[in-house]
């Protein structure tokens, strides 16, 4: 059931449900989450079951503000403190050493915990209402079946989990791809997942270079958002440079003779598309705008029964890193 997130009574009702150990479709500025009280292991177990996600894949815990950190984290390195002061509330998740007595199920058994303070007004109101009821944080992975495209509207969430699930409607997500994740447990900041907040922004605030996953000796913890194949629509995704894409379209044009559209083209370049039976959608030239609509576009192609999605490779600049990462994973499955 979808409730209007702007209605204070709906927010109270949702907070009550979380307190009672139920699940909730949670709007955030990145993507919708499937939330439960992070301190109730049984409620957290329901998240893993509903998503079909292996229970050793840790979840992100959402907190109302920086105070919420102390309940879950054992220590906060200076560079992590600087990051949360600069970017919270916002699309940044910090992996911190976990207090051993809390949120073991949400952390998937890791001795660390992923924390994020979302910048969505409905999420913020809900987190405050939950805290008044003794709920310190909400474990919430993206509200999609394991391996699938993350949801950016309440209707997407309902499509994944049915009408039984209580969903707070916070509109279409503004960022559109999941938060940037920085591991702060290895002495230096390590980028686990790129997102709207770029490398340069992080390095500037930390005053040190952002390491890549494979760069430090200690093994990175398991993270499903970092699996090679993830974020996949049902259709096959192929990434191509603009020129190769135009050539492929010309070759196709010779033999392609109508019928139902089975191929979609998603490109920034203006291409000559030879057949009306190809679905052609322009990707925005702006990285933030492209991220905002990426998952909805992939879901639309699926809904139209497309078998193959040809996507023009985004630019190699850092502001496109999040979009490139999600597309590479979609293409890897
Ligand atoms: O934007 C987002 O981050 C969204 C919204 C709902 O907040 N959430 C999200 O959650 O993307 P999820 O579970 O789909 O992805 C969380 C990622 C996973 O790759 C998970 O493994 C990683 O964060 N993660 C969480 N806790 C971790 C930990 N302690 N150590 C390493 N990775 C962790
Ligand atoms: Mg996810």
């Amino acid at each position: 059931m979808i409730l209007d997130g702007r209605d204070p009574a709906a927010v109270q009702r949702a907070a009550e449900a979380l307190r009672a150990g139920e699940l909730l479709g949670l709007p955030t500025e990145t993507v919708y989450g499937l939330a439960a009280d992070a301190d109730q292991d049984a409620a957290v177990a329901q998240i893993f079951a509903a998503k079909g996600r292996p229970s050793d894949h840790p979840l992100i815990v959402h907190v109302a503000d920086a105070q919420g950190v102390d309940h879950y984290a054992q220590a906060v390195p200076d560079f992590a403190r600087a990051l949360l002061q600069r970017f919270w509330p916002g699309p940044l998740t910090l992996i911190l050493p976990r207090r051993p007595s809390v949120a073991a199920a949400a952390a998937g058994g890791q001795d660390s915990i992923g924390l994020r303070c979302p910048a969505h007004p409905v999420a913020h109101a809900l987190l405050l209402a939950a805290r008044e009821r003794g709920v310190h944080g909400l474990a919430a992975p993206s509200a999609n079946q394991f391996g699938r495209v993350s949801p950016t509207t309440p209707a997407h969430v309902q499509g994944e989990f049915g009408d039984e699930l209580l969903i707070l409607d916070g509109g279409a997500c503004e960022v559109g791809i999941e938060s940037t994740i920085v591991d702060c447990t290895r002495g230096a900041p390590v980028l686990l997942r790129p997102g709207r907040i770029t490398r340069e922004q992080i390095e500037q605030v930390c005053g040190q270079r952002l390491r890549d996953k494979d760069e430090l000796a200690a093994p990175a913890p398991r993270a499903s958002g970092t699996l090679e194949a993830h974020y996949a629509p049902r259709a096959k995704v192929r990434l191509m440079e603009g020129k190769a894409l135009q050539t492929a379209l010309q070759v196709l044009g010779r033999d392609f003779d109508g019928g139902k559209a089975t191929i979609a083209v998603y490109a920034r370049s203006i291409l000559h598309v030879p057949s009306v039976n190809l679905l052609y959608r322009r990707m925005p030239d702006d990285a933030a705008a492209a991220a905002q609509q990426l998952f909805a576009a992939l879901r639309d192609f699926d809904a139209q029964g497309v078998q193959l999605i040809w996507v023009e490779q985004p630019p190699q600049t850092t502001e496109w890193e999040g979009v490139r990462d999600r597309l590479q994973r979609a293409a890897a499955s």
Side-chain angles (χ1 to χ4, degrees), residues 50 143-146 148-149 151 155-162 299:
N144 53 276
Q145 297 293 331
F146 185 63
R148 291 288 163 198
V149 177
H156 293 163
V157 181
Q158 200 172 41
E160 295 279 338
F161 298 104
R299 281 173 177 271

Side-chain angles (χ1 to χ4, degrees), residues 37-186:
D37 179 354
D39 291 276
Q40 294 186 45
D41 286 359
V44 169
Q46 283 188 54
I47 298 180
F48 288 106
K51 275 187 64 104
R53 173 160 162 154
S55 59
D56 61 349
H57 285 206
L59 309 178
I60 293 172
V61 175
H62 299 70
V63 291
D65 48 39
Q67 287 164 38
V69 170
D70 299 331
H71 180 78
Y72 295 102
Q74 175 126 286
V76 183
D78 287 344
F79 70 83
R81 181 72 61 191
L83 286 173
L84 72 83
Q85 274 165 2
R86 169 65 182 81
F87 294 115
W88 281 10
L92 177 69
T93 297
L94 301 177
I95 309 297
L96 294 164
R98 178 171 62 89
R99 282 190 195 278
S101 57
V102 296
Q110 309 277 349
D111 52 13
S112 57
I113 185 106
L115 295 177
R116 164 163 127 76
C117 174
H120 193 292
V122 175
H124 185 65
L126 177 72
L127 284 161
L128 291 179
R131 190 155 71 187
E132 277 171 18
R133 291 169 168 79
V135 174
H136 295 276
L138 300 178
S142 51
N144 53 276
Q145 297 293 331
F146 185 63
R148 291 288 163 198
V149 177
S150 296
T152 55
T153 67
H156 293 163
V157 181
Q158 200 172 41
E160 295 279 338
F161 298 104
D163 198 39
E164 299 287 277
L165 179 69
L166 198 61
I167 302 167
L168 273 186
D169 185 348
C173 300
E174 188 197 314
V175 175
I177 58 172
E178 305 83 349
S179 58
T180 304
I181 303 182
V182 177
D183 186 354
C184 304
T185 65
R186 299 202 271 164

Side-chain angles (χ1 to χ4, degrees), residues 222-260:
R222 193 191 292 269
S224 48
T226 64
L227 291 179
E228 200 65 31
H230 213 66
Y231 310 110
R234 271 182 246 322
K236 281 252 162 251
V237 175
R238 246 188 93 191
L239 270 169
M240 286 180 264
E241 295 300 337
K243 269 198 184 135
L245 184 48
Q246 183 63 79
T247 306
L249 285 171
Q250 268 147 5
V251 171
L252 183 75
R254 288 192 217 119
D255 328 308
F256 202 67
D257 62 351
K260 196 166 166 292

